[in-house]
């Protein structure tokens, strides 16, 4: 791992205060989408995962845009993304997909893995009911969860799109690292465990949207040099603006159309 990977700068964090500037194109996009129904582009369902502290309300505009452009999208259906807080009491409760020392004291380090496990169950349920694999689109922590679900479900997940999401490192290279440390969580251990997951590569195509202006996630942590089937797309947008930006929406739509063309779904 490169030694220059680090949390976002204080300047970028301050830039998040003007995130509304990155959303100025959204109203026009929504108006355009409100026109005549577009011809369905695919039968591939899309599930969109929110970032930490957010719920399906935060992804409603993007879902509306995708739905009006020929896709069937839905929220993740798990309420507020609390980062998995309270889901488990010990690492022994994690699924077998997590190769961790299960006797290790747990101060919350297994919360996000537990959330990934819960989303695996959710995706399996939706795939069963929809009768089709799904694409996962995740914002911030939601993108990390989407990646790990895809890793565990190579047949049920057809595509992953992430927006400002760390590929590894957990909270270590984010603006919330201090919050995790304050809870006595070992963020260095978490970072090591995220790297171990790469022993089982993600097989599905990934589109990773990142910004060097990101004030929440250090952009270098979003660069995945381990997965072979990945496309990185750089934008100049704040972290908070990623899910409400017209340019990002077009990138997400294009990524979904491309996977449909490749798979015929």
């Amino acid at each position: 791992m490169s030694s220059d990977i680090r949390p976002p700068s204080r300047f970028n964090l301050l830039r998040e205060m003007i995130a509304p500037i990155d959303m100025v194109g959204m109203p026009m996009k929504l108006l355009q989408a409100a026109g005549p129904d577009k011809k369905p582009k695919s039968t591939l369902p899309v599930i969109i995962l929110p970032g930490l502290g957010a719920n399906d309300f935060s992804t409603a505009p993007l879902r509306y845009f995708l739905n009006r452009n020929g896709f069937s999208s839905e929220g993740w259906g798990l309420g507020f993304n609390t980062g998995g807080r309270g889901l488990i009491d010990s690492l022994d409760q994690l699924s077998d997909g997590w190769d961790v020392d299960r006797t290790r004291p747990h101060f919350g380090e297994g919360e996000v893995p537990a959330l990934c496990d819960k989303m695996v169950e959710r995706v399996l349920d939706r795939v069963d009911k929809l009768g089709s694999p799904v694409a996962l689109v995740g914002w911030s922590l939601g993108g990390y969860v989407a990646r790990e679900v895809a890793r565990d479900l190579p047949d049920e997940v057809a595509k992953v799109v992430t927006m400002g999401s760390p590929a590894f490192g957990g909270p270590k290279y984010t603006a919330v690292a201090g919050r995790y440390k304050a809870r006595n969580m070992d963020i260095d251990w978490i970072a090591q465990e995220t790297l171990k997951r790469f022993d089982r590569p993600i097989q599905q195509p990934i589109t990773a949207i990142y910004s060097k202006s990101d004030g929440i996630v250090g952009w270098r942590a979003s660069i995945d040099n381990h997965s072979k089937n990945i496309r990185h797309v750089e934008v100049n947008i704040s972290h908070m603006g990623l899910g409400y930006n017209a340019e990002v929406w077009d990138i997400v739509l294009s990524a979904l159309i491309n996977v449909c063309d490749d798979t015929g779904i």
Side-chain angles (χ1 to χ4, degrees), residues 103-145:
T103 65
R104 187 181 189 277
H106 181 248
F107 298 101
E109 292 89 347
E111 291 174 347
V112 170
L115 179 59
C116 295
D117 287 345
K118 188 173 183 179
M119 191 62 198
V120 164
E121 296 175 358
R122 172 68 177 169
V123 169
L124 287 173
D125 178 70
R126 295 305 296 147
V127 167
D128 180 62
K129 288 182 170 59
L130 295 168
S132 167
V134 298
L136 301 179
V137 177
W139 186 0
S140 194
L141 177 59
Y144 176 77
V145 173

Side-chain angles (χ1 to χ4, degrees), residues 38-140:
K38 308 295 191 301
K39 180 180 179 181
K41 290 183 169 61
S42 170
T43 58
L44 179 68
V46 181
I47 300 177
I48 305 184
L49 291 70
L52 181 65
N55 61 7
D56 286 333
F57 181 78
S58 68
T59 64
L62 174 56
R63 285 185 279 120
Y64 177 83
F65 171 75
L66 293 178
N67 290 344
R68 298 295 297 184
N69 278 278
F71 283 88
S72 177
S73 69
E74 60 183 65
W76 77 330
L78 296 181
F80 280 94
N81 185 345
T82 63
R85 192 161 187 172
L87 286 180
I88 60 171
D89 300 314
S90 72
L91 294 173
D92 190 50
Q93 295 173 267
L94 295 177
S95 70
D96 293 340
W98 298 92
D99 180 21
V100 300
D101 176 4
R102 295 170 185 273
T103 65
R104 187 181 189 277
H106 181 248
F107 298 101
E109 292 89 347
E111 291 174 347
V112 170
L115 179 59
C116 295
D117 287 345
K118 188 173 183 179
M119 191 62 198
V120 164
E121 296 175 358
R122 172 68 177 169
V123 169
L124 287 173
D125 178 70
R126 295 305 296 147
V127 167
D128 180 62
K129 288 182 170 59
L130 295 168
S132 167
V134 298
L136 301 179
V137 177
W139 186 0
S140 194

Side-chain angles (χ1 to χ4, degrees), residues 96-249:
D96 293 340
W98 298 92
D99 180 21
V100 300
D101 176 4
R102 295 170 185 273
T103 65
R104 187 181 189 277
H106 181 248
F107 298 101
E109 292 89 347
E111 291 174 347
V112 170
L115 179 59
C116 295
D117 287 345
K118 188 173 183 179
M119 191 62 198
V120 164
E121 296 175 358
R122 172 68 177 169
V123 169
L124 287 173
D125 178 70
R126 295 305 296 147
V127 167
D128 180 62
K129 288 182 170 59
L130 295 168
S132 167
V134 298
L136 301 179
V137 177
W139 186 0
S140 194
L141 177 59
Y144 176 77
V145 173
R147 285 175 52 93
E148 298 313 307
V149 171
R151 195 187 307 276
D152 286 340
L153 299 178
D155 296 325
E156 289 80 7
V157 177
K159 168 79 180 187
V160 176
V161 182
T162 64
M163 302 179 292
S165 302
F168 56 87
K172 183 174 182 178
Y173 306 112
T174 74
V176 298
R179 185 187 307 176
Y180 283 79
K181 288 180 180 179
R183 294 178 55 202
N184 293 320
M185 292 173 64
D186 188 341
I187 64 173
D188 290 320
W189 182 86
I190 294 173
Q192 293 171 1
E193 294 302 315
T194 63
L195 282 177
K196 285 168 60 176
R197 292 277 286 181
F198 283 92
D199 291 341
R200 289 189 295 118
I202 299 174
Q203 304 296 326
Q204 302 92 319
I206 307 168
T207 296
I209 304 168
Y210 72 96
S211 171
K212 292 182 179 179
S213 300
D214 195 316
I216 304 298
V217 175
W219 69 268
R220 293 175 180 85
S222 298
I223 303 301
D224 176 2
N225 292 320
H226 295 76
S227 303
K228 294 182 178 180
N229 198 4
I230 187 166
R231 172 175 172 251
H232 296 96
V233 183
E234 181 182 350
V235 295
N236 184 23
I237 297 166
S238 64
H239 185 87
M240 301 304 293
L242 283 167
Y244 303 113
N245 180 268
E247 177 187 358
V248 172
W249 286 5

